[in-house]
Amino acid sequence: MSTLSIIYVVLFYVATLLLTVGLVRKILQYKNSPAPLKIPTTPAPMTTSGVAYRMAKEVVLFESLFKSSKWTWIFGWMFHFGMLVVLVRHLRYFVADVPGWLLAMQPFGKYAAFMMVAGLAGLWARRFLVDRVRYISTLSDHLMLALLMGIGVSGVLMTFVEHTDIVALKMFALGLVRFSPQPVPGDPILLAHLAMVALLMIIFPISKLLHAPGVFFSPTRNQVDNPRERRHLADWAAQLEK
Amino acid sequence: MAAAPDFEVAKLTGEITVPKLREGAMAGIKSFNANEKIQAPLGYPGELVEDWHDRAIGKMGELLKKYRSLQVFMDACVHCGACTDKCHYYIGTSDPKNMPVARQELMRQVYRRYFTFAGKYFPKLVGAKDLSKEILDDWYSYYYQCSECRRCSVYCPYGIDTAEITMAGREILDSVGIGQKYSNEILGKLHRIGNNLGLPGPAILDTLEGLEEDVLDDTGIPVKFPLDVEGAEVLLVTPSADFFSEPHVESLIGYAKVFHAAGISWTLSTKASEAGNFGLFIGSYENMRKGALRIRDAALELGVKRIVVGECGHAWRVAYSFWNTLTGVGAGAAEDDEFARKLQAQLDPSVPQPSHICEFTYDLLKRGVIKADKSKNDHRVITFHDSCNVSRASRMGDMPGGQFIIPREVIKMVANNFQDMAPGTTHEATFCCGGGGGLLTDDLMEVRVKGAQPRMEAFKDVVDSKKVNFLALICAICKAQFTKVLPYYGYNMGMVGGVHQLVSTAIELPGLGAGPVEEEADEAETEATAAGDE
Ligand code: HEM
Ligand code: SF4
Ligand code: SF4
């Protein structure tokens, strides 16, 4: 195998490892840190199932964002759900026999990439056009959008303009999954695409992308509103009563 | 009316607009610092300690471990900007550091530098900074320009609550010796004497006796204001401002009339002569707990069956959301939880513990136990200001949002003319009065007046279009703040009053028909009606 292929194989294993270990560590940290006081933003659900419904609306519909900023909501939703469809579509590279439903969604999936890129463009434009958002934007905010945009645009190019060798790519991807590394196709757009994806995986657990696990642990959203009915006591707080 | 302020007060238009940002607009603003005498009893150093840097970072690390909220909120923000136009202090001052995300960023820049990989190795890239004295200054300035109202948390896609970060910021500042005089002095009084005003028992007794005479003169009915009565059914815990300040005291009279009319025995307590708890404001679990334990002790000593809380926003948050945790006032303690069981065995499990006075009165009105003659309030056109802590950090009644319904229902059951302010400025979207969270001090007057602007715009709108002449409140801080701030915007401070002031006006007292005795306490508002706006 060529040096290039070895580099890419190692890159993906390292990226997967860092992503997994990093995320698991963060999730455990969130899970294990106590929430000593009841602080749901009210009105809040009074039952656990109510909380699950509230959370589902936040994660699927970005409900709070919808209340606050319609433009950010539209662009943000286009980007995330475009990305989700694109990601699901990518599954076909990682399974030998593509199931029917996955095949069926391919034609639509192709266009989700445009939705993703358009959403990103809108979000990025806000960082220049709205003075308040410009003020809070850091270099890393721009670079994050650039990275995602790079991934999206290079993907679109391969789907619609410069077709890459899909069969060879699938061999490479399956090789990774089966721990029997295969050569990576030498197409420059594909190589750039893959490198950017690996970079995204690596920075995921050390960047603001932690909002994805974070939202599930946000006490203002995931707590049940029942402080009068149940006594809620954190371990460290209970020590004060000793 | 008011003395000419040394800052510009916006001319109201009746509409809320988001300003272009003006950097540094409020940078110089600082409330007075607490001295050694104020700091020490709360367990804080009296001046900036020598090793402030390490202690501050140490404290931050400790808080990150103790509070999941802080840990998650430090990580999760994506700088989406959805919260940037939601803070009344940003809208009123146009200082970008008053945008919730920017206020958080004051701490996040430090968090990143010391606690994250990216900030340790690529500080420039992610905007991470070493903790410096300048940053501490910024913290002091801008963490005391946040009223911890939680409006931003409603709109953030991850529910990031800047109040949590403000509280952590204040706790870190306190722990290195930078405290705020106003909040910490008051908290000291609560610990030392039992209430925020520092009223000793005899002064309270004196006031209550005076009130009994006043009410007797006004109504001909001997309404009692009992203090420290063992074996009473209900312990009423109310903000101490209710004993002395106008218009607060009118609500206290209202509560007393409700108890009298319903024939329920009740008592106030010198030990628990304060519902407010500024331990919340400075983010100190220990101090908040210490203050709250007074209520537990008083309830145990007096042997009451029920605890009712008077009109106060942050007090209701502490009572509703935290008392059970801090003191056991509530229900549902575990089998082996002797601390809480001891109290919960004494309290009546068939009613919510604690209850808000509005829940209490609403229930009595609805069941017809007490009656009101609405026409007594006909000279008033009333609007209601949802207090932040009640709206976004608590509940009333048995369903989500009861905190919006119940006070409005009480008003409608005692008065004929009620008008809501514009949607987007009420319920969970309510705008803070501008004086909450430890900002109700004269040295922050500019912040207070400017922060009140969004609420004032919505108020102007209903004054102009609906002829509103009464701003009904259920918070001691709101009452004090609006009394002070209304004149800056050209309104008479007599337009401000409590929900139980309205109850007081209309309630029918046994032994008395709906009719004859006219109120004299109402002069102030009649004047207000006449004054109108500008
Ligand atoms: C549970 C899953 C997730 C939820 C609920 C979620 C939600 C959100 C929301 C509400 C926003 C703010 C609005 C916006 O800017 O779009 C946001 C921003 C963002 N999200 Fe997510 N997200 C999730 C997963 C992800 C993942 C997996 C990625 C990347 C691989 C991602 C990347 C981003 C980026 C880069 C931004 C900032 C956009 C900007 O700079 O304006 N998100 N997310
Ligand atoms: S809690 Fe209230 S005052 Fe503080 S930043 Fe949020 S909106 Fe502003
Ligand atoms: S709304 Fe939430 S995520 Fe967006 S900038 Fe504000 S705090 Fe950050």
Side-chain angles (χ1 to χ4, degrees), chain A residues 45 47-65 73 77 81 84 215-217 221-222, chain B residues 157:
Chain A
T47 57
T48 314
S49 52
V51 164
Y53 181 58
R54 178 186 206 175
M55 191 59 83
K57 283 191 293 184
E58 288 295 355
V59 172
V60 180
L61 303 175
F62 300 178
E63 187 187 30
S64 296
L65 186 61
W73 178 81
W77 202 85
F81 282 80
L84 181 67
V215 63
F216 296 99
F217 291 94
R221 292 290 182 270
N222 76 5

Side-chain angles (χ1 to χ4, degrees), chain A:
Chain A
M1 237 177 11
S2 67
T3 323
L4 186 69
S5 294
I6 295 172
I7 291 175
Y8 268 78
V9 168
V10 172
L11 181 64
F12 269 90
Y13 282 130
V14 169
T16 309
L17 192 72
L18 287 177
L19 175 69
T20 319
V21 172
L23 266 186
V24 168
R25 276 188 49 194
K26 267 294 173 189
I27 289 171
L28 286 178
Q29 180 193 36
Y30 296 156
K31 193 170 154 286
N32 294 334
S33 35
L37 293 167
K38 279 283 194 171
I39 59 166
T41 307
T42 58
M46 292 161 60
T47 57
T48 314
S49 52
V51 164
Y53 181 58
R54 178 186 206 175
M55 191 59 83
K57 283 191 293 184
E58 288 295 355
V59 172
V60 180
L61 303 175
F62 300 178
E63 187 187 30
S64 296
L65 186 61
F66 183 79
K67 284 188 212 156
S68 40
S69 167
K70 299 289 184 281
W71 282 113
T72 313
W73 178 81
I74 289 171
F75 293 132
W77 202 85
M78 282 169 63
F79 154 54
H80 284 87
F81 282 80
M83 182 171 65
L84 181 67
V85 174
V86 167
L87 275 177
V88 171
R89 207 174 87 97
H90 277 68
L91 282 179
R92 75 185 193 281
Y93 302 128
F94 296 90
V95 289
D97 301 310
V98 181
W101 63 268
L102 196 52
L103 271 180
M105 75 170 283
Q106 294 302 320
F108 311 100
K110 265 166 109 168
Y111 297 96
F114 286 107
M115 188 161 112
M116 168 178 166
V117 170
L120 281 169
L123 290 171
W124 211 349
R126 274 178 56 81
R127 296 209 177 275
F128 293 102
L129 299 178
V130 181
D131 65 340
R132 288 169 280 115
V133 186
R134 195 187 320 136
Y135 177 87
I136 57 166
S137 298
T138 59
L139 184 56
S140 58
D141 294 327
H142 290 287
L143 291 179
M144 185 69 76
L145 287 168
L147 180 63
L148 285 159
M149 193 69 129
I151 295 172
V153 170
S154 55
V156 168
L157 282 179
M158 287 183 291
T159 315
F160 294 96
V161 186
E162 281 283 331
H163 297 280
T164 197
D165 184 347
I166 293 294
V167 179
L169 172 67
K170 182 155 183 171
M171 297 283 288
F172 174 71
L174 277 174
L176 289 174
V177 176
R178 294 170 175 163
F179 296 102
S180 76
Q182 303 296 317
V184 67
D187 172 358
I189 303 184
L190 178 69
L191 289 177
H193 187 73
L194 292 181
M196 287 187 286
V197 170
L199 182 60
L200 184 72
M201 290 164 70
I202 291 168
I203 61 173
F204 199 105
I206 54 167
S207 70
K208 65 177 185 178
L209 299 181
L210 286 172
H211 67 283
V215 63
F216 296 99
F217 291 94
S218 174
T220 60
R221 292 290 182 270
N222 76 5
Q223 285 188 340
V224 179
D225 175 20
N226 62 356
R228 287 194 289 197
E229 294 79 9
R230 285 266 161 282
R231 184 154 198 247
H232 172 92
L233 200 61
D235 287 341
W236 66 260
Q239 295 308 314
L240 300 174
E241 279 165 27
K242 293 275 148 62

Side-chain angles (χ1 to χ4, degrees), chain B residues 86-89 98-100 103 145-152 161-163 166:
Chain B
K86 301 299 184 283
C87 178
H88 51 290
Y89 293 115
N98 275 328
M99 301 189 297
R103 200 187 307 285
Q145 293 186 50
C146 168
S147 58
E148 302 174 346
C149 77
R150 313 188 93 201
R151 190 167 195 269
C152 44
D161 179 7
T162 315
T166 291

